[in-house]
Amino acid sequence: MSNQAYELKAEARAQVGKGSARELRRNGLIPAVIYGDKKDPVSIVLSRNEVTKKIHAGGFLTTLVTIVVDGKKHSVLPKDYQLDPVRDFLMHVDFLRVSKNTQVTVEVPVHFENEEKSPGLKRGGVLNVVRHTVEFHCPANAIPDSITVDLTGLEIGDGIHISHVKLPEGVEPTITDRDFTIATIAAPAGLKSEDNAADDADEAVEDASEE
């Protein structure tokens, strides 16, 4: 399931605008907004260091947060954040209000297990990852940390598709019109060269027989 929820303390932001935002950032704060759930948006101010630490810890966009604003608690999911393009520090965060019925779209990382149980990898095959993340629709309170692909028994040339992955209940890929590929077990470069040489030799024999 999703990472453990945590709490952030914030203050309501009375003034908006570029000048106000610049002053906040000079003081180690960042502007943010809470929106969604058919309620008015709420402009808030957060500690930049505190939020930056959460981003660097991983799973920021897939972990529920309780934001306390003037004693009132808001259950939210971070939806986006902006970084300064030059200095790379945090500029702004958007939070989506969530309830038990809220469905969200999130990017979930793909993890692989049992590489030692793949005959293809043992023979020198290479795990070619096509998708490092997969986009899913799921309940806001049931976002998976990751999806796990089991490589047991896979041979060179085998492909792993989304249908091969057991997904948690209520979690569905946003791509539904095809069984898309997540990874393949590719032949090692040496084996490819040998195969090409063998193909060339067969073609030479065929050409000779036709003459």
Side-chain angles (χ1 to χ4, degrees):
M1 305 303 289
S2 59
N3 295 331
Q4 185 174 0
Y6 56 90
E7 188 172 285
L8 291 174
K9 295 189 181 301
E11 295 180 5
R13 183 184 174 202
Q15 295 181 321
V16 295
K18 291 184 178 180
S20 171
R22 281 196 293 267
E23 183 177 355
L24 289 173
R25 295 181 188 114
R26 282 196 295 268
N27 293 324
L29 303 171
I30 54 165
V33 64
I34 299 172
Y35 68 96
D37 201 27
K38 299 180 181 179
K39 298 177 182 176
D40 292 336
V42 177
S43 295
I44 60 174
V45 176
L46 293 161
S47 163
R48 183 169 64 209
N49 284 343
E50 193 172 358
V51 179
T52 299
K53 287 178 182 178
K54 294 298 183 183
I55 292 173
H56 289 164
F60 182 65
L61 296 178
T62 58
T63 303
L64 292 179
V65 186
T66 298
I67 296 183
V68 183
V69 185
D70 298 331
K72 184 178 180 180
K73 294 187 176 183
H74 301 260
S75 181
V76 301
L77 180 71
K79 287 300 292 180
D80 193 20
Y81 59 89
Q82 291 82 47
L83 300 176
D84 183 276
V86 178
R87 290 169 289 179
D88 201 38
F89 63 73
L90 190 61
M91 300 277 289
H92 188 273
V93 185
D94 294 336
F95 295 98
L96 174 68
R97 287 190 189 92
V98 298
S99 65
K100 63 180 181 179
N101 297 320
T102 303
Q103 293 282 320
V104 295
T105 301
V106 291
E107 290 274 346
V108 176
V110 180
H111 293 167
F112 298 88
E113 66 178 9
N114 294 325
E115 294 188 23
E116 72 283 359
K117 296 181 181 180
S118 165
L121 293 178
K122 281 186 176 181
R123 291 174 52 211
V126 178
L127 179 62
N128 175 37
V129 180
V130 178
R131 292 176 181 268
H132 292 276
T133 62
V134 176
E135 188 177 73
F136 291 103
H137 290 311
C138 62
N141 61 354
I143 301 171
D145 285 339
S146 62
I147 61 170
T148 302
V149 174
D150 188 354
L151 301 175
T152 300
L154 294 181
E155 296 280 1
I156 290 174
D158 285 347
I160 304 107
H161 299 87
I162 189 62
S163 62
H164 298 147
V165 182
K166 185 176 181 180
L167 300 176
E169 184 177 355
V171 177
E172 299 179 351
T174 57
I175 298 174
T176 57
D177 60 344
R178 65 184 186 279
D179 190 16
F180 56 87
T181 301
I182 295 175
T184 61
I185 307 297
L191 184 56
K192 290 180 181 178
S193 300
E194 292 173 7
D195 290 343
N196 292 337
D199 291 341
D200 292 341
D202 290 342
E203 290 176 6
V205 171
E206 291 175 1
D207 291 342
S209 64
E210 290 174 359
E211 293 178 355

